[in-house]
Amino acid sequence: MLITFFDFTSIPVLWLQIASAAIWVLLILLIAWVVNRFAHEPEIVRKIVHIGTGNVILIAWWLDIPASVGITASILASAITLLSYRLPILPGINSVGRQSLGTFFYSVSFGILVAWFWYLQQPQYAALGILIMTWGDGLAALIGQRFGTHKYKVFGTEKSWEGSLTMMLVSYLVSSLILVGTQGNSWQTWVVSLVVAFIATALEAFSFLGIDNLTVPLGSAALAFFLSQLVLS
């Protein structure tokens, strides 16, 4: 036959796992590039990348990608983001109009959570922390900027009650979906989700220089883990 079909069974499982995650990230970057090219909305571009790439943690969890892969990717991404503050490598992502290490902290949080919870064989908590950071913080910023009319200041940084409410609601939804899905439907699970959402919102509010991209995912994941161990043990 002149035409042969590629035998995917000949590819090691690890490479298929890595390819799945890489394809997702490249797809998100492509979407962001198209939006940046035609819409010229820097903040929208940043949030597409912020929210979209964060979902790769679900691929890592569901496909059981080894921790070493996630940690290596985090180290490489952290190095690239540090260089991007000096060189125009990621201009559309880092152009926030203020001094911020948010993109760097974003990458670091991935590595820490994967190293921590993959080791404990509890990857759902890593996913919880990352998704609260990506979806909660990302949507809170968009809603706050577009519809935030009721302002307040923390450490000189202006926030909005609309954005903070969005952060709490999304954090509660993320926590509830993951914890109920992995631990079962019980009142303790719903209470843990509520506490996690409240603390995540507070961590996001009391942030500066983009450090919420580190404190929110780590704090949320750690709190969900320890409270779950306490009330469900």
Side-chain angles (χ1 to χ4, degrees):
M1 291 180 61
L2 294 178
I3 301 176
T4 59
F5 291 96
F6 194 83
D7 183 10
F8 286 99
T9 61
S10 65
I11 304 177
V13 173
L14 176 61
W15 287 109
L16 289 175
Q17 293 171 324
I18 295 174
S20 299
I23 289 171
W24 174 261
V25 172
L26 290 174
L27 176 62
I28 295 299
L29 293 177
L30 176 61
I31 293 172
W33 178 82
V34 171
V35 172
N36 187 55
R37 175 84 178 232
F38 295 101
H40 304 292
E41 292 281 352
E43 189 60 25
I44 298 295
V45 170
R46 288 187 63 252
K47 295 311 175 186
I48 289 174
V49 176
H50 181 90
I51 295 173
T53 56
N55 292 310
V56 77
I57 193 69
L58 293 175
I59 297 175
W61 175 17
W62 294 339
L63 297 183
D64 195 24
I65 294 177
S68 58
V69 175
I71 295 169
T72 300
S74 171
I75 293 172
L76 291 175
S78 299
I80 292 172
T81 54
L82 281 179
L83 284 175
S84 72
Y85 291 113
R86 294 289 183 181
L87 303 173
I89 300 176
L90 304 171
I93 298 175
N94 284 329
S95 58
V96 296
R98 63 184 185 275
Q99 186 180 11
S100 173
L101 292 172
T103 311
F104 171 69
F105 290 137
Y106 183 102
S107 303
V108 170
S109 66
F110 262 86
I112 294 175
L113 288 177
V114 167
W116 184 359
F117 290 107
W118 256 246
Y119 173 77
L120 296 177
Q121 297 184 344
Q122 301 283 346
Q124 67 269 24
Y125 294 106
L128 182 148
I130 293 298
L131 293 180
I132 285 179
M133 171 185 65
T134 55
W135 283 96
D137 186 41
L139 291 178
L142 288 177
I143 295 298
Q145 290 169 9
R146 295 296 178 96
F147 306 105
T149 57
H150 301 85
K151 307 291 187 179
Y152 67 96
K153 283 192 175 183
V154 180
F155 296 141
T157 301
E158 190 173 76
K159 304 283 185 176
S160 73
W161 288 109
E162 290 83 357
S164 293
L165 179 60
T166 300
M167 176 71 183
M168 178 169 284
L169 291 176
V170 174
S171 298
Y172 183 65
L173 180 61
V174 168
S175 299
S176 299
L177 287 173
I178 292 178
L179 295 181
V180 170
T182 56
Q183 298 174 358
N185 186 6
S186 66
W187 69 267
Q188 294 97 326
T189 299
W190 295 102
V191 170
V192 169
S193 298
L194 183 61
V195 174
V196 169
F198 179 80
I199 296 301
T201 303
L203 289 172
E204 192 279 331
F206 289 87
S207 63
F208 55 93
L209 299 179
I211 200 172
D212 53 320
N213 281 346
L214 189 64
T215 58
V216 168
L218 267 60
S220 301
L223 184 62
F225 173 72
F226 288 118
L227 286 180
S228 295
Q229 300 303 305
L230 180 64
V231 301
L232 297 176
S233 60

